[in-house]
Amino acid sequence: NVPKPMVPIGNLPMMEHIVKLLKKNNITEITALLYFQADTIREYFGDGSAFGVRMDYCQPDADYGTAGAVKFALNDSDDTTLVISGDLATDFDLSKAIAWHKKKKADASILLTRVENPLAYGIVITDDNGQIERFLEKPSWGEAFSDTINTGIYLLEPSATALIPKGQNFDFSQNLYPLMLSKNMGLFGTIMSGYWKDIGNVDEYRQVHLDYYNDKIKLELDGKVSEQDGAVLIKGSNVRIDENVKIEGKVVLGNDVTVGRGTILRNCTIGSRSAIGDNCKIKETTIWTDVRVGSNSMLSSAIVCNRTMLDDGVQLLDKAIISDNCTIGAGASVRANCKIWPDKSVDAGAIVSSSMVWGEKWNRELFTDSKVTGLALTEITPEMCVKLGAAFGASLGKGASVVTSRDASDTTRLLRRTFISGVLAAGVNVSDLEAMPIPLVRYALSHGEYAAGMYMRHNPADFRQLDIIVFDGSGLDMQTAKLKKIERNYFGEDFERATLDTIGHLTRLERVADDYRNDFMNNIDVDLIRSAGFKLVIDHSNGASSQIFPSLFSLLGVNATELNASLNPRKFSVSSPEQARTIVQLSAILTSLNADLGLALNPVAEKLTVIDEYGKPIDPNLLLLIVVDLFLQTHKAKTIAVPVAASMGVEEIASRYGVEVIRVANSHRDMMEIIRSGKADFVGGTKGGFIFPEFQTGSDAIMATAKLLEMMARTNLRLGQLRTEYEHYIRETASVPCPWSKKGLVMRKLITKSATQERQLVDGVRIFEDDGWVLIVPDRFGASFNIIAESTSKSSTTELVTHYRDFVKTCQKD
C-alpha cells in the first residue's frame, strides 16, 4: 500500500532520512527517480523547500536499468553526480566521500562497506590506491572473494555518464563499470565508516529500528528529546502521557499520540494520532499512524501498520506483522512470525497460528468467479483445504453428495485429499473422479443426483497458484449466494460437524468416461467427419484429455498425431514460454505432415489454441469470428451470445444470417447462464472456449474440437481460408493501475462521461465510437482497470486506448 521509500523509520519516511543526510552534506539539488506510487512521493516532498532542498522528479517511460534510468534523469549534465537509493538507512559522511573522490580525480567512485554475509550484494576488490580491480554481482559463497560490498552509492563524473547510452537498458554493475574497467578509466572504491543497511525485507526493516535503539545508527528525528533514568523519549507535539507510564530504552512518539496509565513502553516507535490503552506492554515494536491499541494488550517485536485497530487484551508475539486497516478482536493472539495482510479481521479470542496472506480483496471475498485462487502450499495449504472442504460440505447439509476431481499434478493430488477430508467430516458423501478434465466433471454433475462439485487445478496463467473451482449440482459455476454461505462458514467456523455415525462416504465414480463418450458420439455427425478423413496434430498439455481423445479419434476416423499425451504429475501447467514453444512445435509438425488442423488443449480441456492448415496460430478473438461464421453456416439459430469484450465482427457476421447477438459479462458463469436460460443457441468466448448447448452447458474443448471438424467437413472450408475475411479488426489492450478504493469513483465518472454516447453496461463500460469501440472494466483480481479497444484502423484503436487510459488516471486524482 505504500512505496518502499515512504515506509517510516522513527516516524519519518526512510527517503526523508536520505534527504536530510544529503542536506547535512550540502547536497541540495535533488532529482528523485520515481516508479511505484510516484504521486505519493511527489505529494509528500513537493518542491523540497519544506526540507531545505530543491526537489524535482523524473519517471522513466520504460525499464532502462539502473544506469539507464540515471542517464534518463541527467540528460547531458556536466556536474559531479551522487547516486543514492531512497530506501537505504545510512549515516555515511558523504562530504568526506566527495572530497576523497575529487582528490583521486576519479571518473567514478563506489562507496563500499563490509558485511558479514555479502551474497546479496556486489563484491568489490580495490588496490592499495583505492582503484577497483574486480567486482562480482550477487555471488555464490564459492564466488565470494571479499566481504567488501557495493553500497549502491555512486559518485559520477560526466566522463562516466557519457558512456551510458540514452534510451537503452543499461546497468551500473553489469554494463557501465565493466566498460570503464575495459577502458582503464578511473573507477575507484572507498570503504566508508558508519552505518549502512539496504532495507530489502521486513527483517532488515525491523533490524534498523533495533540498531537505532542501540545507538548503532545516527538518525535526525522530529520531536523534543528528554532523558530520565537512562531512558530517552522523543515526542512530537500534543502528546498526552497518563500517570504511571514507564519509559525504558529509547521511545519515539509522533504527534497527537496518547498513552494510557500504567503502560510500559520499551524501545518502540508509535506513529502520529495513535492511541495506546491502559496497562499495555509494548517492547521493540513499530506502530504506524492512526492505530488504536486496546487496554491490557501486549506487543513484542511486532509491526502494526496504518489505521489498524487492536481491541483490549490483544497479544502480538515476536515478529508478528499486522498490515493496514486490520481489526484484531478482544483477547485475540497472533503468534510469532505470523503476517496479517491488509483489510483482514480476526475474531475476538481467536488464536492466529498461521499467516493470513490472501491477496488484495477489496470486499474480503474468498471466492472470485466461483473459485478460490492462491499460492500452492503457501496460501492454499493442507490445513486451509481441510477447513474449506468442511465449510463447503456444511453449506450443502449432511447426507448430500458431491463430485470431485483434479488435474494431473502431485500437488493437487495432495491438497484435493485434504479438501475431501473436510467434506467427509461435514457429513457429505464424495464421489471422486481422480484426474479427469473439467468437462467430465460438469457432465457427471448434469447426469447425476449431486448437490455440488469441486475441481482443483494449477492456475493456467501462473503454475505457482492453485484454483479451487466449485460447481452447483447442474455443473454450472456456483452462484454467488451459495458462495457467500461457504464464505460465512469458512470465516465463522460456527457450522455443525458430523458425528461418528453421520460421517460422509468416499467412493470412486466409475463409468463416467464411458457414458461421456457414448453421449458425445450421439451429438456428432460421425459419418460426415469420418468421410472427410481429417489429419490433425494435437497437444494435450499433459492433461487428462489424453484419456478421452484416442478412442474418439478412432471412432471418428481421424488421423491424429498426439503430443504430450501422458498424465505427468510433475508437468501440471504450461507457462507462457512453454506455450509459445508448443505452438512453434505444433506449427512445424503440422506443415511437415500437411495436416488440416493443429490444436493445443489446456490441461483441463476447457479451451483451445488453434493452428490453421498453413501453420499459422489463430488469435482467440479471431478464432471466435471464424467459429461463429462456421456455426451460422451449418446451424439454424435465432440468437448467439458472446462476452462484452468480443469483436464487433460478431455482429457483422450475425447480421448476414439474421441472427441476434447477446452480449454477456466476461465470465464463464454468465456464458453458462445464458445457455441454461435457453436464450442462446451457441456461446463463444474470447479465450478459446465454446459452448454447444445440445451436449454441455460449459466450455468443452473436446466437444469443440469435434464440432469444428464437423463444421469444416460440412462447409468444405479450412480455417486459413476464413481468417483473411476477419483480420481487418485491430485490437489493443492496456492495464491502468488503480487502488481498490478508487474503482467506484472511476466507474462513476465513466458513466457520467459516456451518458450521451451509445454504450453497453454489461461488464464495465463499453463505449461505441465512430469506427470502433472501447471497453473499460475494473480488474476482478488486481488494483487496476483493463482497457480493450477495437476498430478497423490502428491509429484509431491506439487513440481510443490512450484517451481512456489518461481518463482513468485523471479520475483517480480527485
Side-chain angles (χ1 to χ4, degrees):
N1 288 345
V2 63
K4 190 164 61 166
M6 297 301 293
V7 171
I9 296 175
N11 284 334
L12 296 178
M14 59 177 81
M15 181 169 158
E16 184 173 348
H17 290 294
I18 296 298
V19 171
K20 286 188 172 188
L21 179 68
L22 294 172
K23 181 177 181 294
K24 180 181 178 182
N25 286 271
N26 300 312
I27 301 169
T28 57
E29 302 288 324
I30 301 172
T31 295
L33 273 161
L34 304 179
Y35 177 60
F36 179 68
Q37 292 191 11
D39 288 345
T40 303
I41 297 174
R42 280 195 182 97
E43 290 168 7
Y44 186 88
F45 288 99
D47 63 3
S49 57
F51 304 90
V53 300
R54 193 178 81 178
M55 182 89 78
D56 60 16
Y57 304 92
C58 180
Q59 190 163 3
D61 52 4
D63 181 6
Y64 295 131
T66 53
V70 169
K71 181 73 169 186
F72 184 86
L74 280 176
N75 290 317
D76 296 314
S77 171
D78 57 1
D79 294 329
T80 300
T81 301
L82 181 138
V83 179
I84 187 169
S85 296
D87 55 3
L88 291 176
T90 184
D91 55 12
F92 283 170
D93 186 340
L94 300 179
S95 298
K96 184 177 179 181
I98 293 170
W100 185 90
H101 168 81
K102 295 291 187 182
K103 181 180 178 181
K104 294 293 182 181
K105 298 181 180 179
D107 295 299
S109 294
I110 302 175
L111 275 56
L112 310 175
T113 192
R114 293 194 169 103
V115 295
E116 290 183 0
N117 184 350
L119 299 191
Y121 309 102
I123 292 177
V124 180
I125 286 183
T126 64
D127 63 16
D128 293 339
N129 190 40
Q131 189 144 7
I132 291 175
E133 296 180 327
R134 187 181 177 195
F135 62 87
L136 182 65
E137 190 71 9
K138 294 181 175 60
S140 65
W141 274 119
E143 299 168 318
F145 47 77
S146 173
D147 65 349
T148 303
I149 65 161
N150 172 5
T151 66
I153 305 173
Y154 308 132
L155 290 160
L156 307 172
E157 295 299 326
S159 55
T161 58
L163 299 176
I164 306 172
K166 290 183 179 180
Q168 293 184 29
N169 190 296
F170 207 73
D171 185 81
F172 281 114
S173 295
Q174 296 180 20
N175 303 113
L176 177 61
Y177 298 146
L179 179 61
M180 293 182 69
L181 287 178
S182 71
K183 292 178 174 290
N184 295 316
M185 295 176 67
L187 180 61
F188 286 79
T190 178
I191 298 174
M192 303 294 295
S193 59
Y195 186 92
W196 176 91
K197 187 173 287 294
D198 177 17
I199 308 174
N201 56 49
V202 174
D203 288 336
E204 301 285 3
Y205 176 68
R206 185 181 285 108
Q207 188 61 48
V208 167
H209 282 89
L210 295 177
D211 290 341
Y212 170 69
Y213 302 142
N214 293 313
D215 297 322
K216 292 182 179 180
I217 178 174
K218 304 182 191 73
L219 293 177
E220 184 182 329
L221 302 184
D222 293 346
K224 181 181 178 181
V225 181
S226 60
E227 295 189 34
Q228 185 176 358
D229 299 329
V232 177
L233 174 64
I234 303 170
K235 65 178 183 178
S237 61
N238 198 32
V239 171
R240 194 188 80 212
I241 300 176
D242 285 352
E243 59 188 20
N244 298 324
V245 170
K246 188 172 184 180
I247 305 295
E248 300 176 350
K250 190 179 290 186
V251 173
V252 183
L253 303 179
N255 299 328
D256 304 301
V257 169
T258 62
V259 183
R261 65 175 60 89
T263 285
I264 299 173
L265 303 178
R266 180 176 184 272
N267 286 342
C268 59
T269 298
I270 299 173
S272 295
R273 301 178 302 281
S274 292
I276 311 299
D278 298 340
N279 301 310
C280 294
K281 295 180 180 179
I282 300 176
K283 68 173 185 176
E284 295 179 347
T285 289
T286 302
I287 296 174
W288 293 9
T289 61
D290 299 298
V291 171
R292 298 292 179 268
V293 179
S295 297
N296 302 303
S297 295
M298 185 183 78
L299 285 63
S300 174
S301 299
I303 297 172
V304 183
C305 297
N306 299 320
R307 300 174 300 280
T308 278
M309 312 292 288
L310 309 184
D311 217 329
D312 294 345
V314 166
Q315 286 191 331
L316 304 183
L317 304 183
D318 289 354
K319 299 186 178 180
I321 301 173
I322 315 297
S323 302
D324 291 348
N325 306 311
C326 290
T327 302
I328 312 297
S333 176
V334 180
R335 296 285 174 85
N337 298 303
C338 289
K339 300 177 178 68
I340 310 294
W341 276 30
D343 305 299
K344 300 293 176 290
S345 295
V346 174
D347 291 340
I351 297 174
V352 180
S353 56
S354 61
S355 294
M356 294 174 63
V357 197
W358 288 102
E360 192 174 16
K361 302 277 187 180
W362 172 241
N363 51 3
R364 301 181 190 169
E365 292 178 336
L366 180 63
F367 288 93
T368 303
D369 290 344
S370 303
K371 64 177 179 281
V372 177
T373 300
L375 290 170
L377 301 177
T378 300
E379 295 171 337
I380 296 185
T381 62
E383 297 84 357
M384 179 267 180
C385 287
V386 171
K387 183 178 174 182
L388 181 60
F392 174 70
S395 72
L396 304 173
K398 290 179 183 176
S401 296
V402 301
V403 175
T404 61
S405 187
R406 61 177 175 87
D407 67 14
S409 97
D410 279 342
T411 307
T412 55
R413 184 170 182 255
L414 163 69
L415 295 173
R416 183 188 100 277
R417 288 184 174 185
T418 60
F419 182 94
I420 288 173
S421 296
V423 176
L424 296 174
V428 172
N429 302 315
V430 176
S431 296
D432 187 42
L433 278 170
E434 295 190 352
M436 281 289 175
I438 285 181
L440 267 76
V441 179
R442 296 191 192 277
Y443 179 85
L445 289 167
S446 63
H447 289 75
E449 298 296 325
Y450 298 102
M454 183 281 294
Y455 194 91
M456 192 177 292
R457 71 176 184 190
H458 286 263
N459 187 282
D462 184 353
F463 75 91
R464 297 168 299 178
Q465 300 206 59
L466 288 184
D467 294 332
I468 301 174
I469 310 170
V470 292
F471 314 106
D472 66 17
S474 64
L476 274 69
D477 292 356
M478 188 168 279
Q479 303 95 319
T480 300
K482 293 182 178 180
L483 296 174
K484 291 297 182 185
K485 187 175 181 181
I486 300 172
E487 285 183 353
R488 286 194 297 271
N489 287 342
Y490 180 85
F491 290 116
E493 296 190 76
D494 56 356
F495 51 86
E496 185 181 359
R497 265 72 170 184
T499 60
L500 290 177
D501 57 347
T502 60
I503 194 168
H505 299 286
L506 174 62
T507 57
R508 170 84 185 276
L509 191 55
E510 306 287 350
R511 291 198 52 80
V512 171
D514 291 337
D515 292 342
Y516 175 90
R517 289 189 191 95
N518 293 335
D519 205 6
F520 185 99
M521 298 304 290
N522 290 331
N523 283 278
I524 292 292
D525 191 333
V526 176
D527 293 335
L528 180 63
I529 296 175
R530 186 180 288 128
S531 65
F534 286 111
K535 184 184 291 186
L536 303 185
V537 181
I538 185 165
D539 191 309
H540 294 283
S541 302
N542 297 109
S545 62
S546 60
Q547 297 180 271
I548 306 298
F549 255 128
S551 58
L552 294 177
F553 285 146
S554 62
L555 293 170
L556 294 172
V558 173
N559 180 358
T561 300
E562 298 181 74
L563 309 175
N564 298 313
S566 61
L567 292 180
N568 186 340
R570 297 294 180 182
K571 188 70 174 177
F572 39 73
S573 186
V574 181
S575 65
S576 295
E578 287 176 317
Q579 190 171 31
R581 288 192 293 271
T582 294
I583 299 306
V584 171
Q585 183 184 35
L586 263 177
S587 298
I589 295 173
L590 182 147
T591 52
S592 66
L593 296 177
N594 197 28
D596 300 291
L597 194 64
L599 300 161
L601 278 68
N602 72 336
V604 294
E606 282 192 300
K607 296 170 184 175
L608 290 170
T609 300
V610 178
I611 316 292
D612 70 17
E613 67 272 23
Y614 303 115
K616 294 176 64 178
I618 302 176
D619 177 84
N621 292 288
L622 177 58
L623 178 64
L624 172 59
L625 298 180
I626 294 171
V627 173
V628 166
D629 193 345
L630 285 171
F631 181 83
L632 296 181
Q633 286 189 55
T634 56
H635 294 75
K636 291 182 179 180
K638 292 183 179 179
T639 307
I640 63 172
V642 295
V644 68
S647 171
M648 60 187 178
V650 174
E651 279 82 4
E652 178 192 318
I653 298 166
S655 66
R656 298 203 299 259
Y657 299 94
V659 172
E660 180 188 358
V661 177
I662 299 175
R663 294 273 174 165
V664 299
N666 295 301
S667 78
H668 197 199
R669 169 81 201 177
D670 287 271
M671 292 168 65
M672 290 186 289
E673 279 287 4
I674 198 74
I675 284 291
R676 185 162 73 169
S677 69
K679 295 178 181 178
D681 302 302
F682 166 81
V683 175
T686 57
K687 298 178 181 178
F690 303 96
I691 303 176
F692 296 89
E694 62 269 23
F695 181 66
Q696 282 267 49
T697 55
S699 295
D700 184 339
I702 304 172
M703 173 54 73
T705 297
K707 277 292 184 182
L708 196 54
L709 296 177
E710 181 186 273
M711 293 186 296
M712 289 166 59
R714 195 173 299 283
T715 59
N716 199 29
L717 291 171
R718 297 294 182 266
L719 305 189
Q721 298 172 257
L722 287 169
R723 71 181 298 157
T724 55
E725 297 183 31
Y726 304 112
E727 290 181 316
H728 58 284
Y729 295 106
I730 309 299
R731 189 180 185 94
E732 286 188 24
T733 62
S735 178
V736 185
C738 175
W740 289 92
S741 58
K742 296 287 184 74
K743 285 186 175 182
L745 170 68
V746 173
M747 287 298 291
R748 173 164 56 83
K749 288 185 172 291
L750 275 169
I751 296 295
T752 302
K753 171 183 169 61
S754 62
T756 60
Q757 296 175 272
E758 183 184 357
R759 67 186 184 185
Q760 289 177 327
L761 304 178
V762 176
D763 186 2
V765 183
R766 186 176 186 235
I767 302 168
F768 295 90
E769 300 287 348
D770 293 338
D771 62 344
W773 57 270
V774 61
L775 173 67
I776 309 98
V777 59
D779 193 282
R780 287 187 178 94
F781 302 97
S784 63
F785 269 80
N786 296 320
I787 299 174
I788 304 169
E790 183 186 62
S791 74
T792 54
S793 160
K794 180 169 178 55
S795 60
S796 296
T797 306
T798 301
E799 186 178 333
L800 280 172
V801 169
T802 302
H803 173 73
Y804 283 96
R805 180 172 54 204
D806 292 343
F807 179 79
V808 171
K809 289 179 179 178
T810 302
C811 287
Q812 298 175 46
K813 296 179 180 178
D814 291 355

